[in-house]
């Protein structure tokens, strides 16, 4: 499944350009070093964090996309850096648990 | 080569790394006679004079003792005979600066003061020589492990990037790492190396922001065979390095934890990402990380190894 297919299937709101990259798994984490220690390229990252580091982390790990959950709004700095680094940021009104469950059901393992 | 090598050594040391810390001191109300005995017993040629809170107020040297003896005043208090405007150096100065003061003044020892003016050590030509030998040994040990690296710094597609990181600037975490990664990507390095370097730099950068008093510097230097990253700050240092290296150990504040820092995974992950990892820290003075990432032909994104033939590539292959 590609990032844009996922965005469509889950009804996610995009705040950056949406990539066409293939998704290679997902992870749910709110601790930055957890993502840096245990994430892998191509993953989708579900998090409640909304500050600029999120884009830096996604770029450092070559993640496919970030989904900010729980109806939280990212700040403008985050969106600016994400655009600059071609990181896809998507928003969901559902909480992390629900988004993870739906992604899992869609076959993202 | 030898000369520039030693120069480089001196350049990377700070004064506190070359000072002797067990300093014999005296007080202004002591008699000159007692100081003379002290100097003879300890075989030293100068004794700093401190007040009750450890601030430096003067120094007694052999010359002062001789002057006092000459005038028959050896029983008088130190206060009258000590040298009061003492030339001092600062603990955080680059060693080169303190060496040039030694050179310029011709003194055999210089008291070292910290930021608050407290006496924290003394530098002498001997203490400097000692620190250079220690540093040299360390570098030699490092080179044995990887023979041709310390020398070759002038690779044609070398890269050198330096970042100043500000303490408390949480929002900027990751900016150095992102910029460095972009440069590595531009040079066609394999994704795995790009990521390992970027992750290590991110974590080091985050630590400078979260844990230091005044931030610090990150220097990344790439040549044909390695990427070397040095991360340096000047305090507060780490008291127990083994503890700091443990998974899950963190002293991060609640505030930075709400931003997602403080899992206690940063340092262990830096060690995992780098091919060579070294951490040195002195409480009160700071922390230094030396990281090395090896560039195999695959990591460089080459199909054929470059560089002059017969350069001893097998040396790097056996790791
Ligand atoms: N540059 C530094 N100066 C002073 N103390 C440091 C420095 N770097 C690390 N430490 C100490 O070592 C501990 C462990 O560092 P580490 O990077 O592993 O975890 P952390 O920074 O607390 O959390 P995380 O990196 O997971 O966000 C820190 O909590 C801090 O006490
Ligand atoms: Mg850390």
């Amino acid at each position: 499944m590609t990032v844009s297919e996922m965005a469509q299937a889950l009804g996610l709101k995009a705040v950056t350009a949406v990539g066409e990259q293939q998704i290679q798994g997902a992870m749910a984490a709110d601790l930055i070093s957890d993502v840096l220690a245990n994430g892998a390229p191509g993953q989708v990252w579900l998090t409640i964090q909304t500050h600029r580091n999120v884009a830096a982390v996604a770029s450092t790990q070559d993640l496919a996309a970030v989904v900010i959950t729980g109806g939280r709004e990212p700040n403008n700095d985050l969106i600016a850096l994400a655009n600059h680094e071609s990181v896809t940021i998507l928003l969901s009104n559902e909480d992390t648990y629900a988004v993870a469950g739906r992604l899992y059901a869609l076959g993202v393992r | 080569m030898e000369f520039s090598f030693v120069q480089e050594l001196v350049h990377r040391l700070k004064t506190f790394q070359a000072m002797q810390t067990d300093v014999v001191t005296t007080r202004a109300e002591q008699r000159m006679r007692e100081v003379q005995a002290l100097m003879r017993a300890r075989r030293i040629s100068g004794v700093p004079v401190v007040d009750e809170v450890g601030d430096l107020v003067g120094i007694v040297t052999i010359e002062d003792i001789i002057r006092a003896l000459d005038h028959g005043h050896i029983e008088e208090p130190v206060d009258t005979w000590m040298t009061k405007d003492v030339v001092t150096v600062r603990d955080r100065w680059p060693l080169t600066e303190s060496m040039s003061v030694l050179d310029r003044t011709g003194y055999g020892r210089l008291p070292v003061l910290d930021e608050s003016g407290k006496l924290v050590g003394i530098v002498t030509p001997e203490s400097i020589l000692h620190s250079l030998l220690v540093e040299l040994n360390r570098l030699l040990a490092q080179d044995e492990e990887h023979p041709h690296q310390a020398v070759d710094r002038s690779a044609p597609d070398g890269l050198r990037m330096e970042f100043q990181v500000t303490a408390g600037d949480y929002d900027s975490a990751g900016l150095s790492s992102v910029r460095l990664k972009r440069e590595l990507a531009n040079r066609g390095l394999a994704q795995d190396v790009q990521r390992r370097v970027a992750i290590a730099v991110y974590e080091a950068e985050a630590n400078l922001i979260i844990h230091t008093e005044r931030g610090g510097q990150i220097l990344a230097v790439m040549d044909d065979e390695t990427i070397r990253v040095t991360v340096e700050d000047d305090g507060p240092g780490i008291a127990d390095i083994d503890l700091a290296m443990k998974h899950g150990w963190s002293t991060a504040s609640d505030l930075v934890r709400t931003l997602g820092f403080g899992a206690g995974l940063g340092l262990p992950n830096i060690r995992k990402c780098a091919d060579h990892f070294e951490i040195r820290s002195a409480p009160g003075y700071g922390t230094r990380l030396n990281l090395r990432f090896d560039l195999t032909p695959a990591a460089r994104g080459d199909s054929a190894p470059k560089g002059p033939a017969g350069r001893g590539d097998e040396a790097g292959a056996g790791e």
Side-chain angles (χ1 to χ4, degrees):
Chain A
M1 190 174 24
T2 66
V3 172
S4 74
E5 285 165 359
M6 171 189 73
Q8 189 130 51
L10 298 185
L12 304 174
K13 179 181 163 200
V15 290
T16 60
V18 179
E20 285 302 330
Q21 212 183 325
Q22 282 293 328
I23 296 171
Q24 329 250 334
M27 88 175 298
D30 299 321
L31 290 172
I32 302 288
S33 7
D34 189 12
V35 183
L36 290 176
N38 302 309
Q43 286 185 336
V44 174
W45 172 25
L46 313 184
T47 186
I48 61 168
Q49 297 293 354
T50 55
H51 47 81
R52 183 160 68 172
N53 311 347
V54 167
V57 170
S59 158
T60 297
Q61 273 291 30
D62 294 322
L63 300 178
V66 181
V67 180
I68 296 175
T69 62
R72 288 174 178 76
E73 290 290 329
N75 66 35
N76 291 334
D77 282 356
L78 167 55
I79 297 174
L81 184 64
N83 277 322
H84 193 255
E85 296 299 319
S86 310
V87 169
T88 300
I89 307 277
L90 302 160
L91 312 182
S92 171
N93 284 320
E94 296 179 296
D95 67 13
T96 299
Y97 179 75
V99 178
R102 292 178 58 185
L103 263 183
Y104 198 87
L106 282 171
V108 176
R109 307 277 150 99
Chain B
M1 174 222 152
E2 272 74 19
F3 183 54
S4 65
F5 187 60
V6 169
Q7 267 183 329
E8 194 185 321
L9 267 185
V10 175
H11 267 286
R12 60 168 94 178
L13 291 172
K14 294 268 167 64
T15 300
F16 68 78
Q17 291 172 298
M19 72 191 185
Q20 186 188 319
T21 50
D22 52 331
V23 188
V24 179
T25 60
T26 187
R27 299 286 292 272
E29 49 300 345
Q30 294 282 307
R31 313 269 127 206
M32 286 299 274
R33 165 81 69 207
E34 291 161 318
V35 181
Q36 184 196 13
L38 185 66
M39 286 165 76
R40 192 183 308 125
R42 304 291 291 261
R43 298 165 176 276
I44 45 181
S45 56
V47 181
V49 185
V50 294
D51 64 12
E52 56 286 343
V53 295
D55 285 347
L56 185 75
V57 292
I59 191 164
V60 178
T61 63
I62 293 280
E63 290 76 48
D64 298 324
I65 299 280
I66 293 172
R67 273 195 306 126
L69 276 172
D70 260 1
H71 296 76
H73 296 307
I74 197 69
E75 297 302 338
E76 290 192 352
V78 162
D79 197 35
T80 13
W81 290 96
M82 68 185 184
T83 303
K84 283 183 179 154
D85 25 298
V86 189
V87 178
T88 59
V89 294
R90 295 281 168 160
D91 56 355
R92 289 174 210 278
W93 283 3
L95 182 55
T96 40
E97 225 166 301
S98 301
M99 284 172 75
S100 75
V101 177
L102 268 176
D103 205 39
R104 205 170 53 234
T105 58
Y107 294 144
R109 78 212 68 75
L110 294 171
V112 184
L113 307 184
D114 71 6
E115 260 168 4
S116 67
K118 268 198 186 24
L119 179 72
V120 289
I122 199 155
V123 280
T124 63
E126 292 76 38
S127 75
I128 291 172
L129 188 61
H130 177 78
S131 71
L132 286 178
L133 288 175
V134 168
E135 185 73 4
L136 197 61
N137 260 328
R138 196 181 66 77
L139 287 180
L140 287 178
Q142 196 171 306
D143 276 358
E144 235 146 67
E145 180 197 329
H146 235 272
H148 43 254
Q149 270 158 8
V151 195
D152 186 3
R153 292 263 161 97
S154 50
D157 48 8
L159 168 71
R160 184 190 160 91
M161 289 182 92
E162 208 170 336
F163 304 97
Q164 295 296 324
V165 180
T166 310
D169 187 6
Y170 311 112
D171 258 358
S172 296
L175 292 187
S176 310
S177 133
V178 163
R179 275 164 56 201
L180 179 60
K181 182 159 186 270
R182 200 183 302 142
E183 279 303 318
L184 299 181
N186 287 344
R187 278 152 214 261
L189 289 199
Q191 188 190 34
D192 165 66
V193 193
Q194 281 182 40
R195 274 183 66 234
R196 286 191 290 118
V197 173
I199 290 171
V201 169
Y202 184 103
E203 290 292 5
E205 187 182 4
N207 284 351
L208 292 180
I209 294 172
I210 299 167
H211 303 298
T212 68
E213 287 154 354
R214 279 170 294 267
Q217 299 87 256
I218 301 174
L219 173 67
V221 180
M222 178 176 124
D223 62 24
D224 268 353
E225 285 147 354
T226 57
I227 298 172
R228 284 171 187 277
V229 177
T230 333
V231 185
E232 206 168 13
D233 65 64
D234 65 357
I238 302 175
D240 185 339
I241 289 182
D242 289 342
L243 198 55
M245 290 305 300
K246 273 218 176 77
H247 275 261
W249 167 263
S250 176
T251 59
S253 67
D254 288 344
L255 168 71
V256 306
R257 282 175 201 259
T258 65
L259 298 174
F261 300 108
L265 297 176
L267 287 174
N269 199 19
I270 296 173
R271 174 162 60 188
K272 190 179 125 212
C273 286
D275 292 308
H276 174 83
F277 171 90
E278 184 185 36
I279 181 167
R280 287 200 290 167
S281 190
Y285 288 108
T287 303
R288 182 186 174 115
L289 298 180
N290 291 316
L291 312 177
R292 196 192 70 220
F293 301 83
D294 296 331
L295 299 179
T296 59
R300 279 196 298 263
D302 294 352
S303 36
K306 53 183 159 195
R311 189 135 164 252
D313 274 348
E314 69 280 3
E319 252 197 359

